[in-house]
Amino acid sequence: MKSFYLKSLAVGLGLCLASVAGAQTAPYGSPSLLPMPQSGYRYPTAPVSASAPQGVQQGNWNNYYASTPKPSPDALPSPSDGHHAPMPQHAHPHHHQPPQHHGHAPYGEMQGPAMGGAACGNGMMNGGYSCVGDNSYMDAMGAPWTACGVGCGADCGWYGGAAGLIMTRDTGNGYWFSYYDSNEAAQLLDTRDTIEWGGGAEAWIGKWFACGQFGVEGVYWGLYPGEGETNLYAGGQPGNLNAILNFNQLNYNGFAANMSTDAAQRHRLRTNYQAHNAEINFLGGMLGGYGATRFNWLAGFRYFRFEDGLEFASDPLDTTFSGAAPEIYYNVDVDNNLFGFQLGGNGEVYLTQRFSLDLGAKFGLFGNHVNHSQSIGGSAGLATINNGPFLGQAYNVNSQTDTVSFLGEMRAGMNYQITNHWRLLGGYRAVGVTGLALTTNQIPMDLRGLNDVNAVDTNGSLILHGAYAGAEFTW
């Protein structure tokens, strides 16, 4: 009898366990008898090993996810239907779309309600880094970036663009070249009066890898403002128009050189400068992001060249510079060539689906190789020193030096997405450099001192600043 009861009890327990197991494996759409406890949702970081849905090859989940329409939140099954509750609508904390650099967005197709995208490569959206996975939060934000899910293809992530520049330089240290002898205290013809705004161009191209974990880009921009000029004429004020520099220490055209600079009919001052910038930067992915704000870092190599030149000319005969022998010209030119390593970072904030603000900074130490030259003369040849230890030597100097310079750059801009692949961008950039050789620092107090002229002064500083505007394309 005891054996019969024990056998009956064992059979009853077996039936109970079988019914519980059946409740956990109910077919899709049937009521659940005993829901499993809900666990936190995670995007898979590798292709999952569960059985693939019918018609989908095992291990090829990326294409399945990319080609399968996402149900709307209202269409998702509820817990009472016997299925897991939908995940909370937030981006996965460990997979992010790579942030923007310099307005050069490593983003792809807009994948929100207003913008759709076609599959590209191995589960990526066409043109960038909208990876597969549940993107309900990013879709709601309308941002052109999303959490990366399982795998990204290697055939996307390129970006490139071009922009126009309008920039100028700070006035820096001035130098005066002229005066009227009726009022010697009033110094005139200042180099700062010739500083002008100028145009330039910028271009960039880059590629993101490993679903935005890292990338590389090349950047070039140049500024070509042309010459700035200012003039003084005899009769502009009472008295004679004279040069401040003591040109009587030199001989030119058979006379003391001040015969060409004092009591002149016209003094002319011209200045010119150019800037060229080339970079190769290695980009790091998200450092941290909250909502529609993203950050990334960069490290790279930079070459920056700044050319600075001036010319003071005097015509004792008339007001037209024709190249006649009595006309005299004083020229100074310096080229700064900076090579070095830089660090930086960029951040971007999306205000709407299409509009964002961005901010970036770069800085580094650079070796600066300086080439310097200056001469005084005209069509009659070079002027020569007429007294002192360098008697008879031509005033024609070429020298070089090396120093250390610091360069920093800050940029603030805004971007507007016009299509899935195109966007407009614009902003303001400022570049500060120390340890430069500038023309106004190379003018000697005594033109006879060729040893002083040969020693290049590199304690100058510079700020270039201005606006940029352009467009970018991703593919």
Side-chain angles (χ1 to χ4, degrees), residues 187-462:
Q187 298 181 334
L188 306 170
L189 215 63
D190 186 1
T191 54
R192 291 174 291 193
D193 296 335
T194 62
I195 303 299
E196 304 239 352
W197 288 78
E202 181 173 11
W204 60 89
I205 187 170
K207 176 74 165 72
W208 284 92
F209 302 93
C211 199
Q213 297 299 315
F214 61 92
V216 64
E217 70 170 4
V219 179
Y220 168 80
W221 59 265
L223 183 62
Y224 331 106
E227 285 188 329
E229 179 177 316
T230 184
N231 290 270
L232 287 175
Y233 297 89
Q237 293 184 20
N240 293 317
L241 178 60
N242 296 338
I244 292 176
L245 276 170
N246 192 4
F247 283 91
N248 66 3
Q249 305 290 338
L250 309 175
N251 287 341
Y252 171 70
N253 193 32
F255 304 95
N258 65 309
M259 295 293 293
S260 293
T261 61
D262 294 347
Q265 296 299 304
R266 179 184 175 187
H267 284 174
R268 183 185 69 192
L269 178 63
R270 288 177 171 175
T271 64
N272 63 85
Y273 66 93
Q274 287 191 12
H276 302 269
N277 180 87
E279 306 171 40
I280 296 179
N281 293 313
F282 300 93
L283 313 175
M286 183 76 69
L287 286 177
Y290 303 93
T293 302
R294 300 178 290 159
F295 307 94
N296 78 295
W297 58 265
L298 66 88
F301 299 93
R302 184 170 193 159
Y303 169 67
F304 181 80
R305 178 180 175 90
F306 184 73
E307 304 172 4
D308 195 19
L310 70 79
E311 178 194 77
F312 169 71
S314 178
D315 189 339
L317 301 179
D318 52 42
T319 60
T320 302
F321 286 100
S322 60
E327 300 170 3
I328 196 167
Y329 301 84
Y330 176 34
N331 290 281
V332 183
D333 293 284
V334 287
D335 298 331
N336 297 267
N337 299 275
L338 281 67
F339 303 84
F341 180 76
Q342 67 178 1
L343 297 171
N346 301 275
E348 183 176 12
V349 178
Y350 277 87
L351 302 181
T352 70
Q353 179 180 355
R354 296 177 180 270
F355 183 71
S356 65
L357 302 177
D358 64 82
L359 180 68
K362 308 172 189 177
F363 59 90
L365 283 176
F366 296 79
N368 183 8
H369 179 72
V370 180
N371 295 307
H372 157 249
S373 65
Q374 59 178 281
S375 63
I376 298 175
S379 60
L382 290 170
T384 58
I385 297 171
N386 59 25
N387 69 92
F390 300 102
L391 176 65
Q393 291 193 29
Y395 196 96
N396 186 27
V397 172
N398 292 277
S399 57
Q400 300 178 346
T401 193
D402 295 290
T403 187
V404 175
S405 299
F406 174 85
L407 185 150
E409 175 180 338
M410 293 194 69
R411 173 192 51 78
M414 51 189 173
N415 314 292
Y416 185 78
Q417 188 81 23
I418 53 176
T419 72
N420 288 343
H421 292 281
W422 284 100
R423 73 169 176 175
L424 302 176
L425 53 89
Y428 206 85
R429 171 192 286 118
V431 178
V433 191
T434 65
L436 288 181
L438 302 177
T439 54
T440 52
N441 300 125
Q442 316 308 319
I443 300 171
M445 297 183 65
D446 188 341
L447 293 175
R448 298 174 302 170
L450 290 184
N451 52 346
D452 296 329
V453 179
N454 271 288
V456 184
D457 192 334
T458 59
N459 65 350
S461 62
L462 170 75

Side-chain angles (χ1 to χ4, degrees), residues 15 77 109 111 234 332 361 435:
L15 292 173
E109 290 281 357
Q111 194 179 336
V332 183

Side-chain angles (χ1 to χ4, degrees), residues 42-64:
R42 283 185 174 274
Y43 291 127
T45 57
V48 296
S49 59
S51 298
Q54 184 176 2
V56 179
Q57 294 182 0
Q58 180 71 21
N60 194 19
W61 289 87
N62 293 348
N63 292 334
Y64 172 72

